[in-house]
């Protein structure tokens, strides 16, 4: 119930922050003096399989307000490369250049598209989970694994009521994948910087 109160379901007319950059899954070393790295995915099989085709983590500069999204999408239009997969989860690593400075995770959202219907869940009020990008360094945020929170419809049937990310340090696997995917990724210049999640945000991160 708490998650239902915190997450808002909107249709096609819902508003979300303007995307000013979408390079989360590609290396563009020349435009940034620091990097953010990690992995993002979803539970794709088993009893806890998430129905969401898209899951996003939104970050922004605390100084300029410039916003970016880190995405894992598997729909008919766009499929994020799958870099790792098990019987229950799948996902992709990301490594994105950013100017040095203070940043924050401020929004998450999940989407399901079925024909003309779009279900979109996101936090109605922005929150702030800070992290720092240092010149010449990579800040590794960890693995963000998308899950679904189930609820009941007015008819009593089981339905998605929102979502949350499980945050875990998968440094060894992710660094190996990043090294294979990006020739200029240097694990020696990467710092583990898993965000500290305050208790009041447990509806979004666990």
């Amino acid at each position: 119930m708490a998650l239902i109160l915190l997450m808002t379901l909107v249709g096609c007319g819902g508003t979300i922050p303007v995307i000013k950059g979408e390079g989360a899954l590609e290396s563009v070393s020349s435009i940034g003096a620091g990097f953010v790295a990690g992995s993002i995915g979803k539970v794709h099989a088993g009893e806890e399989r998430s129905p969401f085709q898209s899951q996003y983590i939104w970050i922004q500069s605390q100084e300029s307000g410039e916003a970016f999204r880190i995405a894992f999408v598997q729909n008919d239009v766009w499929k994020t490369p799958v870099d790792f997969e098990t019987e229950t989860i799948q996902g992709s690593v990301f490594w994105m250049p950013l100017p040095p400075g203070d940043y924050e995770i401020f929004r998450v959202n999940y989407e399901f598209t079925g024909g003309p219907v779009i279900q979109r869940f996101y936090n109605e009020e922005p929150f702030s989970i800070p992290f720092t990008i240092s010149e010449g360094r990579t800040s590794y945020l960890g693995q963000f694994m998308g899950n679904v929170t189930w609820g009941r419809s007015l008819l009593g049937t089981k339905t998605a009521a929102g979502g949350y990310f499980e945050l875990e340090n998968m440094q060894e696997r992710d660094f190996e994948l990043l090294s294979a995917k990006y020739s200029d990724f240097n694990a020696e210049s990467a710092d583990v910087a898993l965000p500290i999640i305050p208790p009041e945000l447990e509806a979004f991160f666990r």
Side-chain angles (χ1 to χ4, degrees), residues 34-95:
F35 295 85
V36 62
S39 56
I40 182 172
K42 63 174 287 187
V43 176
H44 75 105
E47 292 184 2
E48 300 302 316
R49 181 185 68 85
S50 171
F52 299 122
Q53 300 156 325
S54 308
Q55 34 271 306
Y56 305 101
I57 297 169
W58 295 77
I59 64 176
Q60 67 181 357
S61 166
Q62 293 188 7
E63 290 129 11
S64 70
E66 186 172 16
F68 307 85
R69 68 178 182 180
I70 298 169
F72 184 72
V73 179
Q74 296 290 305
N75 60 35
D76 294 335
V77 178
W78 177 25
K79 291 188 184 296
T80 305
V82 175
D83 295 322
F84 59 89
E85 186 167 7
T86 71
E87 291 183 356
T88 56
I89 66 171
Q90 61 180 190
S92 179
V93 292
F94 61 86
W95 187 49

Side-chain angles (χ1 to χ4, degrees), residues 4 9 51-52 112 119 121 148-152 157-163:
I4 296 173
L9 173 62
F52 299 122
F112 171 81
Q119 283 187 316
F121 294 86
V148 61
T149 300
W150 296 107
R152 295 286 177 181
T157 57
K158 185 178 180 180
T159 186

